[in-house]
Amino acid sequence: QYYKKCKKALQDLDVATQLASQENNEINGTIKINCVGGILGEDVVAPLLLKFQQQNPKIKIHLDFSSNRINLLESDYDFVIRMGNLPDSNLIVSSLRTVSTKYVASKEFIQNYGQVAKPKELEKLPLIYGSVKQWNLVSADDKYILHIHKNGTHATNGRVMKQAALLGLGVTRLVDIYVDADIKNGNLVEVLAN
């Protein structure tokens, strides 16, 4: 009798294990993600996450766009997506994409103010700037730090900064994903490209 009960218990355990493994083959639950907004969050990350959710209907995506520093250990987020370097952290970082900073202006702006040959010349020009108040311009033979002089347009949104540049309001500093298409089609000109 003891043997029969043990055998039955092992069989039940096998059945439970099979059921559990079948259930685990389909992922489900909520994934909470905090991501920078703008073009990276809205045009790159969000479409990928929505496609993932479409392919996995039992997954729920909670996507929060903000640039606030999030402490993953103290928050209820599963992932945080940021641009730039991670200062002093014991968190694991994975690079998703490398971006480069570009300084651009419209053709009309360049025609009116002339081509920018040296970083120091930016001090006399209208600038379109966001939350970064110091531009570090590095070339093969020079390093120059430009402290924003508030001569121009201040907007803390990359799309707005690009629109201001397209309208000829000044030189702006944006990452390549914002401006590469407009440089390629001639709407924007890269200044200090070397």
Side-chain angles (χ1 to χ4, degrees):
Q1 177 119 4
Y2 178 74
Y3 173 76
K4 286 181 183 178
K5 287 189 177 194
C6 285
K7 188 174 179 182
K8 173 82 167 107
L10 287 174
Q11 288 172 342
D12 289 346
L13 186 58
D14 281 342
V15 169
T17 301
Q18 288 174 359
L19 287 172
S21 68
Q22 287 173 357
E23 288 178 6
N24 286 335
N25 286 340
E26 189 171 283
I27 57 176
N28 61 65
T30 300
I31 301 174
K32 291 190 78 173
I33 302 162
N34 182 276
C35 180
V36 293
I39 199 166
L40 179 66
E42 296 165 15
D43 293 356
V44 177
V45 174
L48 293 172
L49 290 174
L50 295 172
K51 183 75 170 167
F52 177 79
Q53 186 175 18
Q54 181 185 39
Q55 294 168 349
N56 300 279
K58 291 193 175 184
I59 292 289
K60 302 296 177 237
I61 301 290
H62 174 104
L63 182 56
D64 177 22
F65 291 119
S66 73
S67 294
N68 298 332
R69 293 270 180 219
I70 301 292
N71 183 331
L72 267 175
L73 303 176
E74 295 174 3
S75 76
D76 60 347
Y77 289 106
D78 300 302
F79 297 102
V80 174
I81 300 172
R82 289 288 175 266
M83 288 177 56
N85 296 324
L86 188 64
D88 299 329
S89 175
N90 58 358
L91 299 176
I92 297 170
V93 177
S94 295
S95 177
L96 300 176
R97 183 187 192 281
T98 300
V99 295
S100 61
T101 300
K102 297 195 175 178
Y103 300 86
V104 297
S106 70
K107 282 192 280 187
E108 293 78 19
F109 182 86
I110 298 297
Q111 288 170 354
N112 291 337
Y113 288 90
Q115 184 59 258
V116 181
K118 297 185 185 276
K120 191 165 181 64
E121 293 173 15
L122 292 171
E123 290 179 2
K124 299 175 183 146
L125 297 175
L127 304 176
I128 304 159
Y129 57 96
S131 57
V132 176
K133 303 291 190 261
Q134 175 178 301
W135 294 0
N136 298 308
L137 300 116
V138 180
S139 68
D141 30 281
D142 194 19
K143 181 177 181 182
Y144 181 76
I145 298 173
L146 174 69
H147 297 278
I148 299 303
H149 50 67
K150 298 186 179 11
N151 175 21
T153 304
H154 179 234
T156 56
N157 178 285
R159 292 177 196 266
V160 173
M161 292 167 64
K162 181 176 97 168
Q163 288 301 315
L166 288 166
L167 292 172
L169 298 178
V171 175
T172 193
R173 171 192 182 275
L174 289 165
V175 293
D176 55 4
I177 56 178
Y178 277 99
V179 297
D180 276 350
D182 285 299
I183 292 171
K184 185 177 180 180
N185 67 27
N187 292 330
L188 290 174
V189 176
E190 191 171 2
V191 298
L192 303 168
N194 296 342

